Structures are given as C-alpha cells and as structure tokens.
Amino acid sequence: YTTLFDLTMVMGFLGCIGAVNEIRCLLGMYFTGLLLILIAQVAAGVLIYLQRDTLKTELSQVVHKLIVNYNYVDDENTSSEDAWDYVQRSLKCCGWTGSQNWTENLIIANAANSTNSSVWMYACSCSPTSTKDNGLCAAKNSTSVPIYTNGCMQQVESWLQDNIGIILGVCVGVAVVELLGIILSICLCRSVHNEDYTKVPKY
C-alpha cells in the first residue's frame, strides 16, 4: 500500500508541475501513469471475475489457517486476527463455513482433549454476549453461551450481493475520474507548443 501511495503522490506531483509550467514531458509521464493504472484496474477486475472460484478456494484456505493458528495473546499476526474478529462481530457469524471450524483451533482443541480441563473455549467474537472483542473466552459448557451458527462465507457473499451497486458505483466513479485526468492531460499536451524547461523549479 505504501508503494502505491508513493507512486500516486509522485504522479500527482509530476502532473501538477507539468500543468503549471507547461512541460509536455511531465504531462506525458502523468498521462502514461494514469493510463497504466486504469488498464491494470480493468485487467484486475476481469481477472477476479474469471478466477472467482479459485480466489474463493484460496480465501477459504487462508481463513482456515488463520482460525487454526489463532492465538491473540502471542502478539503474532495480530492485524489479521483483529480483522477476522471484526468480520465475525460485524456480520454476526462464526468460522468460515460454521462455528465448528473453531474446534480445529490448536488452543481450543488442546483444551477439549485435556482431561484436566473443566471449561469450554470459544472465540469471543463469535458470541453476541461476550464483553471481549478479541481472543478466546471460556465457559462451563457449549450451551451456556450463545454462539453465531452461520458461517462467514455465506454472510460475506450476502453482503457483497446487497452492496454490489455501491461497489460498482465507486469503481466506475474512480475510473471516470482517471479517464478525465487522461483526457485533460492530452488536451494540455496538445495546447503546449513550446517547452521551456527553465520554468521547472529546482530543489
């Protein structure tokens, strides 16, 4: 993300300098950069659509691995665990295909197989009554705590279907802004007849 942000800032700077000082070279670089980004976005959209089944399978594997190795107190992979807890709380779901996915978690499985354990462990974000947003919680048994039964895969698909219009609208809006930038840079390039590189500020 940092690289993309830096690239956008550099492109915007080049376009601004080129427009203010009427430098066709800089405007051409700005035009080329915007065009490449637009092409990349269109290609990415087409690729995601064509490979949606493969992406769904890979996403399932990533989430399964995250659930199995989930351990909020070890301060490892915390950002991903925070994101997954947020998904479960927001969409009111548990696991990827269902709450039974959490039985494969290493800590929960060890607690369940331990003869000395008298508690039942679960993901805090899977319960609507939990006071903790992250980590694992404990209860006397599985019936003493309400747990979301729907898997997050179904909830995510429903959310995408419900908000597909907004998502497409944002994508089209960004593409239109980029297309306008391309058109304006072409117009400025054509209007500049004589380049004066002495106008370029020196730092």
Side-chain angles (χ1 to χ4, degrees):
Y1 295 109
T2 303
T3 304
L4 182 60
F5 176 76
D6 293 340
L7 179 61
T8 304
M9 289 294 293
V10 170
M11 282 181 49
F13 178 76
L14 291 177
C16 181
I17 296 298
V20 171
N21 297 285
E22 299 182 345
I23 306 298
R24 296 183 66 182
C25 178
L26 296 182
L27 289 172
M29 292 174 63
Y30 179 71
F31 160 77
T32 303
L34 276 182
L35 183 61
L36 290 175
I37 290 177
L38 183 60
I39 293 174
Q41 289 174 340
V42 173
V46 172
L47 185 62
I48 289 173
Y49 178 78
L50 295 177
Q51 300 293 326
R52 58 188 182 279
D53 292 333
T54 302
L55 289 174
K56 184 177 180 180
T57 301
E58 292 182 357
L59 182 59
S60 299
Q61 294 173 351
V62 170
V63 173
H64 179 263
K65 183 179 179 181
L66 176 63
I67 291 176
V68 169
N69 298 298
Y70 184 97
N71 184 3
Y72 196 75
V73 297
D74 65 0
D75 293 329
E76 294 182 8
N77 206 25
T78 305
S79 59
S80 298
E81 293 171 350
D82 277 331
W84 183 244
D85 284 327
Y86 177 79
V87 169
Q88 292 190 140
R89 290 195 311 272
S90 301
L91 299 181
K92 298 180 180 180
C93 56
C94 188
W96 184 240
T97 57
S99 57
Q100 70 278 2
N101 293 149
W102 279 99
T103 59
E104 301 179 51
N105 176 265
L106 297 177
I107 297 176
I108 293 178
N110 288 336
N113 295 329
S114 175
T115 56
N116 298 323
S117 177
S118 59
V119 296
W120 176 74
M121 299 191 69
Y122 62 97
C124 300
S125 57
C126 280
S127 175
T129 60
S130 176
T131 57
K132 294 175 61 179
D133 292 336
N134 309 96
L136 300 176
C137 294
K140 291 182 179 180
N141 52 63
S142 59
T143 59
S144 61
V145 178
I147 297 293
Y148 299 126
T149 56
N150 291 334
C152 292
M153 178 177 66
Q154 179 184 355
Q155 299 297 95
V156 169
E157 290 177 346
S158 298
W159 183 87
L160 289 174
Q161 290 176 357
D162 293 339
N163 295 276
I164 188 66
I166 297 175
I167 296 172
L168 289 176
V170 171
C171 293
V172 171
V174 172
V176 168
V177 170
E178 291 174 345
L179 191 60
L180 287 175
I182 291 173
I183 294 173
L184 289 175
S185 63
I186 293 175
C187 293
L188 283 172
C189 275
R190 296 185 64 181
S191 65
V192 176
H193 302 290
N194 298 315
E195 295 179 308
D196 186 3
Y197 289 97
T198 61
K199 293 182 178 180
V200 179
K202 297 180 175 58
Y203 299 99

